Amino acid sequence: MPNAEVDAPLDDVALQERQAACRAVGTAFRDSGVHAIPKAGRTPDSAAVTVTIPLDWPDVERFLTGRGLPSPDAAAPLRHLLEQHGVDAQVAVVEFGPGTALKVELATGDDAVRLAAFVLDRRSDAHSAALRLKAAFTGIGISAEHIFVADGAVLVGDIDIQDALALYAVLGGGHVEEFDKLDLDDRWDPEGWRDVETLAELLGPVVSKASGGLLASTPNPACQGCISSRPHRITLGRASPEQALLLADAISASGAPGAASGAGPPAV
């Protein structure tokens, strides 16, 4: 027969505290480029937050064995390291689908918050810079969904044409006569790729100057078969963490509405 005390759900306040701690852990891992699955416990006897970290996910091994958590060959080293940082947790290597995962059971919401701080403290320079740049882009209304981290660099992927024009203006490019000749609004123009190339050529020197180094600014026009589902785009390319930070700072210093929001990464 179930134990009423054990199976009773948490009160709303306690559950909300665990859920907030769970979100903090999820954000910390996500912003560090590591896939983790946090879950808040819903009964008094359960762990406050349980985090499952699949070990076959891209970037996990580098994170676990680099500046961050230790090798997952055994749970004991991780448990010891978390103890050193005041995190009360049970750690085990468990089966996860066809592979394995680290299962970290955190005793309290405060332990979960300490784990989140621990993860953020070990976030790579590239991930920190990518967050800054994403915040700066978002602050001026440019989608940041195509900013990624790979091999220690920040990859600034496709931005659409209107975003490219906005970025050009924010970074002090101003209005040039060539813009009057561009027909960027007509996505169905079979010659539109030429206009995309022209804009990429104009944007390249501006973003390169702002970032303190060369950025590719490669035109990525939509083909006739895909133009109905996506606009013409420009790919800024591979940036070092230092370049990404300089670009974020230039956007933030531009005085454009909302640009100040690029001053730092989103709060956890």
Side-chain angles (χ1 to χ4, degrees):
M1 185 173 180
N3 186 315
E5 292 184 1
V6 171
D7 293 341
L10 290 171
D11 62 69
D12 288 343
V13 173
L15 179 59
Q16 288 174 9
E17 289 177 351
R18 287 187 176 187
Q19 289 173 333
C22 185
R23 288 192 295 272
V25 170
T27 299
F29 274 103
R30 184 184 67 248
D31 289 349
S32 298
V34 178
H35 179 57
I37 307 167
K39 182 179 180 180
R42 291 181 171 273
T43 60
D45 69 315
S46 64
V49 176
T50 299
V51 186
T52 303
I53 310 169
L55 294 177
D56 58 353
W57 200 264
D59 288 337
V60 170
E61 184 176 353
R62 186 187 309 120
F63 178 79
L64 295 174
T65 59
R67 294 179 57 199
L69 307 177
S71 171
D73 293 340
L78 174 56
R79 185 182 306 113
H80 177 68
L81 184 59
L82 294 181
E83 287 175 355
Q84 287 182 319
H85 287 80
V87 179
D88 185 3
Q90 299 293 320
V91 184
V93 178
V94 298
E95 293 184 359
F96 186 80
T100 57
L102 279 178
K103 183 178 182 181
V104 183
E105 295 181 307
L106 299 148
T108 68
D110 287 342
D111 289 305
V113 171
R114 281 190 284 271
L115 174 62
F118 172 75
V119 172
L120 288 177
D121 187 53
R122 283 153 179 77
R123 185 173 58 204
S124 72
D125 291 342
H127 281 98
S128 294
L131 281 177
R132 283 274 301 277
L133 187 56
K134 285 182 178 182
F137 270 31
T138 301
I140 57 173
I142 295 178
S143 172
E145 64 175 330
H146 296 291
I147 296 176
F148 305 99
V149 173
D151 298 326
V154 180
L155 307 183
V156 188
D158 296 337
I159 59 175
D160 69 35
I161 291 300
Q162 296 306 317
D163 284 347
L165 288 170
L167 184 61
Y168 186 92
V170 163
L171 293 177
H175 183 83
V176 294
E177 291 184 3
E178 284 87 341
F179 286 174
D180 297 328
K181 304 174 185 177
L182 302 183
D183 189 13
L184 298 170
D185 291 329
D186 185 2
R187 294 189 348 186
W188 298 97
D189 180 2
E191 299 296 319
W193 61 270
R194 299 182 186 277
D195 295 333
V196 180
E197 286 193 341
T198 299
L199 179 56
E201 291 173 359
L202 292 169
L203 182 62
V206 174
V207 292
S208 295
K209 180 180 178 180
S211 65
L214 180 64
L215 288 181
S217 189
T218 304
N220 186 9
C223 63
Q224 288 185 322
C226 63
I227 200 165
S228 61
S229 60
R230 77 164 178 88
H232 296 306
R233 292 170 175 166
I234 291 175
T235 300
L236 296 186
R238 183 184 181 92
S240 68
E242 294 76 16
Q243 282 181 283
L245 288 175
L246 286 172
L247 182 56
D249 288 344
I251 293 171
S252 299
S254 68
S261 65
V268 174

